[in-house]
Amino acid sequence: MVWRGIHESPGFAVLAEALERHVGQAAATIMRAPFGLSNADELAALVRAAGFQNIAIQQRSGTVRFPSIERFVLSYVAGSPLAGPVSQANDAAREALITDLSNALGKYTSNTELVFPIAAQMLSAKV
């Protein structure tokens, strides 16, 4: 399974944009990396080049849930390669990051949680 385009996951798209503004291009690149195999044709070509056949790709959609925007930022950053760059940013940059996400993701929040869509491609193949 690989993620489809980051634009199909608004929480991560907004996080990447805010990271670029407040932490730097390297952090934004790290955030966008998991979405790098979003093109189904390119993915199939890579798998075929590795010697697999009977390749099937199914598109899936789901949701990402966190208790709050702040918990989303803190949890996702702490459990990823973003931990280093974000920890090196100053307090004002980290606060601005959460403020930007709060402003941009308001329509995905309720009194109890943050919920936004995410899309993936499920690949199967045979050797």
Side-chain angles (χ1 to χ4, degrees):
M1 183 187 84
V2 298
W3 300 123
R4 290 197 326 238
I6 197 169
H7 63 280
E8 296 182 68
S9 181
F12 291 117
V14 168
L15 179 55
E17 292 165 7
L19 285 164
E20 190 166 346
R21 275 192 301 280
H22 302 293
V23 179
Q25 180 60 47
T29 299
I30 291 168
M31 182 61 252
R32 291 181 179 111
F35 299 88
L37 289 174
S38 62
N39 182 294
D41 293 333
E42 290 176 14
L43 177 61
L46 285 171
V47 172
R48 191 173 298 107
F52 290 89
Q53 53 191 314
N54 298 335
I55 299 166
I57 299 176
Q58 298 175 0
Q59 300 204 356
R60 302 274 192 227
S61 295
T63 54
V64 174
R65 295 178 183 275
F66 283 90
S68 67
I69 290 173
E70 185 173 359
R71 180 56 53 201
F72 164 55
V73 174
L74 296 175
S75 296
Y76 189 79
V77 166
S80 76
L82 289 167
V86 173
S87 70
Q88 294 172 6
N90 63 37
D91 290 341
R94 286 192 296 272
E95 288 175 23
L97 189 67
I98 291 174
T99 298
D100 278 8
L101 267 76
S102 294
N103 291 336
L105 296 178
K107 70 179 183 179
Y108 298 102
T109 61
S110 69
N111 291 336
T112 59
E113 66 184 343
L114 166 68
V115 180
F116 58 86
I118 192 165
Q121 300 184 107
M122 185 77 68
L123 182 138
S124 62
K126 295 182 181 181
V127 180

